[in-house]
Amino acid sequence: MTTIDNKLQQVRARIAQACAAAGRDPASVALLAVSKTFGAEAVVQAAAAGQRAFGENYIQEGVDKIAAVGRAFVPALQWHCIGPIQSNKTRLVAEHFDWVQTVDRLKTAVRLSAQRPDHLPPLQICIQVNIDGGPTKSGVVPADTLALVRAVARLPRLRVRGLMSIPDHAPDFEAQRAIYQSAKALFDQIAALGEPGLEDFDTLSMGMTADLEAAIHAGSTLVRVGTGIFGDRTNPVP
Ligand SMILES: *Cc1c(COP(=O)(O)O)cnc(C)c1O
């Protein structure tokens, strides 16, 4: 068994344990393997161990890796863009990724919709929310989130799937959980509207290696784990 295989099993066990502690069905939390800075071989190893969803932060690195890994796996791998997207990179994202979790302004969404090729299914979108209010952080502020969700839902080649957040690290479990609970409350509010265009609003992406337990306790449906699966990122960031 490879180290990646081993670590994946450990992460899955952590998710199962956190679900049990929170009284949740383990099938209600999906795992995104964040492969940024690691090579295509690492992705292939994780895929051979059953992992299907992968997240990349740096667009060109992600596109190169998608090409290198190819389409050999069944079911196919699913690629999520989880990094900031400059306007000149939207076309690459629209042409190569399956999901984008970092939409925080309408302008980006409009470009992604216009540039999504017709032969591909709609791009699956999470709106990134700046839930803990850091002034320099990416993400739409909570008060403007519903308006952005509604505007994105009207774009023809995008499908709004939910919210994503990357809060700063809090001092302890309770503090972390409280922040994640505010994201969950916002998510529930929007999901409860049941509006046209929000039929698939089912994804709350939050929690990473260090704090996935707190995120799952608060209601995360998708944890994004890098270090816990692939090890420390010593490679320089491109
Ligand atoms: C790098 C990254 C992760 C994974 O972080 P780890 O601490 O290595 O698990 C998750 N989400 C985003 C947006 C990231 O950039």
Side-chain angles (χ1 to χ4, degrees):
M1 202 191 300
T2 66
T3 312
I4 287 175
D5 195 333
N6 241 307
K7 284 171 167 279
L8 256 176
Q9 291 193 22
Q10 286 166 15
V11 170
R12 289 187 193 126
R14 274 179 71 190
I15 294 171
Q17 225 164 32
C19 286
R24 298 184 54 194
D25 176 358
S28 66
V29 180
L31 173 60
L32 182 71
V34 178
S35 44
K36 64 182 175 203
T37 79
F38 292 94
E41 325 75 53
V43 170
V44 168
Q45 280 182 34
Q51 179 64 29
R52 284 296 176 269
F54 292 86
E56 291 286 338
N57 286 59
Y58 311 103
I59 311 306
Q60 190 61 55
E61 180 195 340
V63 168
D64 292 346
K65 220 174 290 180
I66 292 167
V69 174
R71 312 217 157 261
F73 291 94
V74 179
L77 304 189
Q78 191 186 73
W79 291 92
H80 294 231
C81 173
I82 59 170
I85 307 170
Q86 288 157 342
S87 290
N88 62 352
K89 292 285 167 61
T90 53
R91 182 176 296 281
L92 272 178
V93 172
E95 289 178 350
H96 296 278
F97 284 84
D98 304 298
W99 284 64
V100 180
Q101 298 197 14
T102 41
V103 169
D104 65 356
R105 65 201 66 198
L106 187 56
K107 183 181 160 211
T108 307
V110 166
R111 292 176 67 94
L112 288 171
S113 181
Q115 294 169 342
R116 181 67 167 172
D118 286 336
H119 69 278
L120 294 176
L123 198 50
Q124 310 294 302
I125 302 291
C126 288
I127 302 298
Q128 183 178 352
V129 182
N130 180 358
I131 201 68
D132 54 347
T136 61
K137 288 175 60 163
S138 307
V140 61
V141 298
D144 296 340
T145 301
L146 176 57
L148 181 57
V149 165
R150 283 177 166 149
V152 173
R154 283 194 288 269
L155 296 170
R157 299 293 290 137
L158 306 184
R159 196 77 195 139
V160 186
R161 296 300 301 271
L163 305 181
M164 179 270 214
S165 78
I166 321 173
D168 289 338
H169 197 61
D172 55 44
F173 181 88
E174 277 311 320
Q176 198 81 60
R177 192 174 61 152
I179 293 166
Y180 282 134
Q181 276 169 338
S182 55
K184 166 71 168 160
L186 181 60
F187 173 79
D188 283 347
Q189 245 174 40
I190 296 172
L193 296 171
E195 292 183 10
L198 301 185
E199 292 85 358
D200 299 324
F201 195 86
D202 59 2
T203 301
L204 181 55
S205 170
M206 56 188 196
M208 310 195 284
T209 299
D211 62 4
L212 66 89
E213 283 82 6
I216 288 173
H217 211 282
S220 170
T221 71
L222 181 63
V223 292
R224 309 178 306 266
V225 177
T227 315
I229 297 170
F230 298 108
D232 289 330
R233 285 183 291 274
T234 48
N235 310 359
V237 163

